[in-house]
Amino acid sequence: MRTPLSWLRDYVDITMAPHELAHRLTFAGLEVEALQYVGLALPAGASAARHSGLAWERDKIVVAHITQVDAHPDAERLVLVRLYDGEREHTVLTGAPNLFAYKGSGPLPTALRVAYAREGAQLYDGHKPGWELTRLKRAKIRGFDSYSMVCSEKELGISEEHEGVILFDADAPPAGTPLADYIGDVVFEIAITPNMARNASMLGVAREIAALTGTSVRLPWRSVPTRAAAQPMPQVQIAAPALNPRFTALLVEDVRVAPAPYWMQLRLRLAGMRSISNIVDITNYVMLETGQPLHAFDYAVLRRRAGSRPAPLITTRLPAPGETIATLDGAQRKLDDFTVLVADSAGALSIGGVMGGGESEVSAATEHVLLEAASWNFTNIRRTVQAQQLHSSQAGYRFSRGVHPAMAPLANLRAAALMQQLAGGSVSTELCDVYPQPVVAPVNRLPLAEVQRHLGMQIPAAEIVRILRALEFVVEDAGSTLVVTAPDHRLDIGTGAEGIADLVEEVARIYGYERMPETQISDTTPPQRANPALEHEERVRDLLAGLGMQEVITYRLTAPEREQRLLPPGVPVPAAHYVTLLNPVAAERVVLRRALLASVLEVAEANARFQQRLALFEIGPVFLPVAGAALPLEQRRLALVLWGPRAQSGWQAADAGAQDFFDLKGLVELLLESLRIEGVRFESAQHAALHPGRCAQVFGADPAVVLGTLGELHPQVSAAYSLAEHAALCADFDLEALLAATPARHATAPVPRFPAVVEDIALLVDEELSAARVQALIVQTGGAQLAQVQLFDVFRSAQLGAGRKSLAYRLSYQSGEKTLTDAEAAKLRNKIVRRLQQELGATLRDK
């Protein structure tokens, strides 16, 4: 927020240098990001990095009085201006169009006050883009000497405006006054964080300065002379008080729409807003001043729209189905069902708290104005701003962060007083104020001991009371406890423990964080408790990272159509229920996901164009609605995706081919082995997203619990994700079941002292017989002395016979008590072979 120093001085006395004040504000939570010195020189001690702008030379850029404007004899677009600069009279050549109205009228009855640059002055070039400095030099232009000029805002560095010269108000200082003394200013660029939204106004910043410097705030409110309205007063109804807690309206009659006085135009420009007319500028001025946005309606338009009704009926309501509105920016806007409207009997007038409608806006023909100042539900305004993409709305910015309803009547009266002063309006005696849900000011009991406990230091009770009262809290001293009532402009103060923390924060901000010494915590350290679920989840992450996988984190929000890409074309889409968002941030983020694998495949799709090889995993929740329950089942899942060659290409790497099902299976086996899950088995399965015949389910010791599914992605699904160049290998695990099968502890054995006897056997078995079943029987038969079994070859050929295959295993025999002899190893091997032959029909392959 851009905050001019001269504007702040209307409400609070400021004696410290601007850069010192910026430092104090920053440490109090109002971060001053930059200082712009408008026309002023950088003071001693200020940081040049925070300074911007042109310093107006005091002897060369001054206030001057134009006494006569004459036509140029040879140029229609030029005039000759006679002015007095405090020292002597000059004739100045200019093409400013706003001086043409005074051309040829002889001596002016009232001199025009302008900004005048003498010969040699440094200015910005008003006719070139950007900000290019130039110095005034004497030259001959169209037969006249030109050595000085009357200045526009662009040439002085105030704004981009350069179509006309500045015309000051009639109360401008005498000719010859240095311009820097008249309108020189310093603009603070303040970052308003969400917790400081109450300070998005000049008064808000002034309150902070008053509390920091020990001064008091001068409020601009004053009594407004009123009279009975000649026009019938409107009626106001609020249909949804929860969305519109308060609505005030005031009628100002017989206004004259004209340009605002220059002092107001200048302040608005320095604050970052453009000037439109006195009526509109007043509403913007009061919004910047108080933080309460206002809107001005052309009352004649409201009367006309009321038809035969004696007076307009103003209603705040939700829109009818399909209702639209043409807003001030010229857009025809479709309205969401949560958008609050200000409407009359003829339809919508404005989007409440965000933007007015085009039909009822103030124009040059406006004579009577209905001023609206209301309060709105900040959450609903935030939704509306997002839905309508009106992030530049100044009103929406403030209402979406919270404006106290108490500000509405005060701002309304303030704006009416300015319209009476600057537009000649007459203010109605009747303020229409509908307030169905009054806000109750929070009251907190603040023990002084809590301040010391939170801050770790002793602050005198009198200082705590002073700080809170300086911030306009009402404080009753009850000995060791203060009873504190929040002021009527604060919505950020809670109650109970939250309220105490809020009050302690206010004390700390104003007292000064930099004044707080470093101390040790005085409270008892809470007991440390383990979180096994999180620890086991982190262990899975560490194991997968150690296996060369890369973790990804994806959005939990998706769309049903995105997850349906997991199904090949033609496969019926199951009727799945989703948790649907009421206020989605984007069209592709409307529901909570049900499938984690779809999210990881989207990441693979996005990266396959740039990476040779992908090995991705994600641990995250899916959300499954439960019938009759308010909240869904939030189930943790683990998804893996492999794609591309087995190794990245390099000068040492041989072409090992693309990853296949067994690469994924081996990785899963290593993970399960590292988790010490026993009794793991893989069984062939079917899954719509996976390739038929290349899919398996994983079971643990409990045969009824499926830990997960793995396999090769269906070719049509791979094509849908642009992964068809290589086989895409995927696994989807129920992390809850996986961790439940992980033992809390496991036994370890010492490294054997005696060597192992290693031998290989090749078995002829039926094609349908799985290697896992053969290996399980080998392990069971070998007992304790069979240390390791490894399948190292699978062979098929016509010599073996149709429907037969060869499985080669490496067996390691080892005893913890002695070195096994060849005879003992042979005896154990014969026992294994006999059982394989008896139960599985396996025979030893002799060649």
Side-chain angles (χ1 to χ4, degrees), residues 96-121:
N98 59 335
L99 293 179
F100 290 177
Y102 304 96
K103 182 170 57 174
S105 58
L108 299 176
T110 302
L112 301 177
R113 274 68 170 172
V114 294
Y116 176 64
R118 292 169 174 156
E119 183 175 1

Side-chain angles (χ1 to χ4, degrees), residues 401-675:
R401 287 157 176 79
V403 178
H404 200 291
M407 300 306 298
L410 298 178
N412 212 329
L413 290 170
R414 169 64 170 164
L418 287 172
M419 288 185 186
Q420 188 178 66
Q421 174 187 346
L422 304 178
S426 300
V427 182
S428 167
T429 56
E430 182 181 356
L431 173 69
C432 181
D433 187 358
V434 182
Y435 197 7
Q437 293 189 353
V439 175
V440 178
V443 179
N444 288 284
R445 298 183 64 83
L446 176 62
L448 295 174
E450 282 295 289
V451 180
Q452 180 180 1
R453 190 181 75 83
H454 278 76
L455 302 183
M457 64 177 296
Q458 185 76 40
I459 298 178
E463 179 66 5
I464 295 173
V465 172
R466 184 201 70 78
I467 290 172
L468 292 175
R469 286 177 175 166
L471 290 169
E472 301 184 11
F473 289 86
V474 176
V475 182
E476 299 176 26
D477 192 344
S480 61
T481 300
L482 304 178
V483 181
V484 185
T485 305
D488 62 4
H489 59 271
R490 298 290 294 267
L491 284 174
D492 59 313
I493 304 299
T495 55
E498 179 185 349
I500 290 175
D502 291 337
L503 295 174
V504 171
E505 180 186 5
E506 294 301 295
V507 173
R509 285 193 315 106
I510 304 304
Y511 185 78
Y513 293 121
E514 70 276 14
R515 298 173 62 187
M516 296 183 183
E518 181 179 344
T519 58
Q520 296 294 323
I521 187 171
S522 60
D523 283 359
T524 303
T525 303
Q528 302 299 303
R529 295 184 175 87
N531 186 345
L534 179 60
E535 291 170 2
H536 292 161
E537 181 181 310
E538 289 300 314
R539 185 183 174 198
V540 173
R541 284 191 171 91
D542 293 341
L543 289 171
L544 288 171
L547 291 171
M549 303 284 287
Q550 180 178 1
E551 184 179 12
V552 298
I553 301 174
T554 61
Y555 286 107
R556 301 180 183 188
L557 304 176
T558 185
E561 299 78 17
R562 298 166 74 97
E563 293 196 345
Q564 288 169 14
R565 298 170 69 195
L566 277 174
L567 299 176
V571 174
V573 178
H577 296 287
Y578 286 89
V579 179
T580 303
L581 273 66
L582 292 177
N583 185 28
V585 296
E588 67 274 13
R589 309 287 178 196
V590 296
V591 297
L592 291 174
R593 67 186 176 195
R594 291 178 59 96
L596 181 63
L597 181 58
S599 298
V600 183
L601 284 172
E602 288 181 3
V603 176
E605 178 184 24
N607 287 274
R609 296 176 295 167
F610 312 106
Q611 301 291 331
Q612 296 179 5
R613 179 180 183 275
L614 298 174
L616 309 175
F617 79 91
E618 180 175 9
I619 293 174
V622 296
F623 304 86
L624 309 176
V626 179
L631 297 175
L633 173 64
E634 190 171 338
Q635 186 186 78
R636 289 183 297 170
R637 306 288 299 185
L638 164 65
L640 313 173
V641 172
L642 299 179
W643 181 85
R646 288 191 174 89
Q648 297 281 10
S649 62
W651 66 275
Q652 286 183 314
D655 185 7
Q659 299 175 93
D660 59 21
F661 174 85
F662 295 102
D663 292 283
L664 177 62
K665 181 173 178 287
L667 188 146
V668 170
E669 287 176 328
L670 285 172
L671 173 63
L672 299 180
E673 181 182 343
S674 301
L675 291 174

Side-chain angles (χ1 to χ4, degrees), residues 34-45:
L35 291 175
Q36 179 187 0
Y37 286 78
V38 181
L40 301 178
L42 184 68

